[in-house]
Amino acid sequence: MIDRLKHHWNVTSRREFFTRAGSGLAGMALASMLAETGYAGPGAPLDPLLPKKPHHPPRAKSVIFLFMEGGPSHVDLFDPKSLLTKLDGKPVPDSIGKPSQTSRGTAHNTLMASRRKWKQYGQSGMWVSDWYANVGEHVDEMTIIRSCWADGLNHVGSVCQMNTGSILAGRPSMGAWVTYGLGSANKNLPTFVVLSDGRDPLGGGANWNSGFLPALYQGTRFRTGDTPILDLKPPSAVSDEQQRNQLGLLQKINQIWGADKSDDTELDARVRSFELAYQMQSAASDAVDLSKESEATKKLYGLDNPATSVFGTNCLMARKLVERGVRFIELYSGAGSGWDAHNDLEGNHTKYCGSTDVPIAGLLSDLKARGMLQDTLVVWGGEFGRTPFNELTTGRDHNPWGFTMWMAGGGVKRGQYVGATDDIGLRAAENPVHVHDLHATILWLLGLDHRQLTFLHNGRAERPTVLAGEVVKSVFA
């Protein structure tokens, strides 16, 4: 226990002595290093959200991750296969081989050709189907990675892996690692924001949690509708001075209560959330207020159409958040596994492509027009793709062995393909890019080396890509 008169610890065991002595030495070393790098001056409290120096010059300042939850079909969107069309209704060729296990036991089903019309867009001539005709107009800004692969067969684990690097919940999300590695670029808004189109993603908050990192690095969920941030405005009878007094009293009480709970990061995160909420009362209201946007801008994002207005609103809000220094923004389309087309692929993807095509194209156009695309990395994809063989005659099963994601802006090379799947789109065949490689590449573009971005947990220096991951340098401009 603490002796509050002598201000020292009464150590009761040898183990406790070494634990506290080690923590003290580590704290002094950390304070010294931070002072040398300009993060903290002598005697200054260490603020883990202060801006931090990147490992190398960054190419992007922010990330907007467009997450199509449920698994969009790459062979119907960005990866056309002539052999798949030729073998429509026939079994998977022996030369390619069936997967040993699928989510729904569909490996012996017959192949199903894409029913879409395809077109080559831009000077790069990259292929996009008519489901994404507006997005196709921006391929010259993209690197399209057609050889992605992942480990999970089913949604919860796969959504978790695309967010955290592991199919098992509990590790920090990519946005949390970015916040830990770079700190905050603003004082009045969260550094990591999550926007959904109505429902909760499978796995819920585990997808934007901080895992074993301190809790203050976790993402902040904004809601759809007129009040993205609940309880943001104070009651009219409460003055600014009263609020400051309340926060001051609460902070003192929490300091007393938490004096012997130094490992309780949830308490620190809660204290900071109250302070941030106070700061957000003006800044956040402006960030989520779209009424001042021009009618032309609203139309660009599809806010004039009920089919596109929800995702379009989130895309426009993402642009406003990037303008205000938010580092990592994740937008869910089809939250709750909406893109999961086991049956009626045509109906499912017509709906979800129809709700995202115009907003995504609008986001890319707007970022470019404002000179922001060069500093903003836009990432598109789902937790996996879909099989070239059918399920229930008109749908497709989950495909983690080969699928497509694309990146635009933020230092990405324009108008190129990276990698390829086999002749029917089943497996990554050329330059396979695992989820860990994607994460390593995103971090590198932000100025972070995934091998140096570590956090000591249970005696082990943990990193965002677990024990794997290679930066895909061919992505860079």
Side-chain angles (χ1 to χ4, degrees), residues 5 8 38 43 83 87 179 213 245 250 276 278 296 322 387 438 450 455 471 476:
L5 295 177
H8 67 265
L83 184 61
L87 297 180
T179 307
L213 294 176
N245 289 338
L250 182 63
L276 179 60
Y278 173 78
V322 166
T387 58
L438 287 167
H450 70 109
F455 184 86
V471 176
F476 306 152

Side-chain angles (χ1 to χ4, degrees), residues 336-418:
S337 207
W339 287 77
D340 193 22
H342 289 282
N343 189 27
D344 189 18
L345 175 80
E346 290 293 307
N348 175 281
H349 275 33
T350 295
K351 173 184 176 180
Y352 285 102
C353 289
S355 67
T356 59
D357 183 29
V358 167
I360 293 172
L363 173 64
L364 294 173
S365 295
D366 201 16
L367 289 173
K368 186 175 182 180
R370 294 170 184 267
M372 296 170 59
L373 187 58
Q374 61 185 2
D375 295 325
T376 306
L377 176 64
V378 180
V379 182
W380 179 97
E383 65 268 37
F384 42 53
R386 307 210 75 82
T387 58
F389 41 82
N390 82 83
E391 180 180 357
L392 301 174
T393 307
T394 59
R396 298 190 189 276
D397 204 349
H398 306 167
N399 183 0
W401 308 286
F403 57 97
T404 295
M405 298 185 71
W406 57 255
M407 300 180 183
V412 167
K413 189 173 182 179
R414 303 166 68 235
Q416 69 157 351
Y417 287 123
V418 168

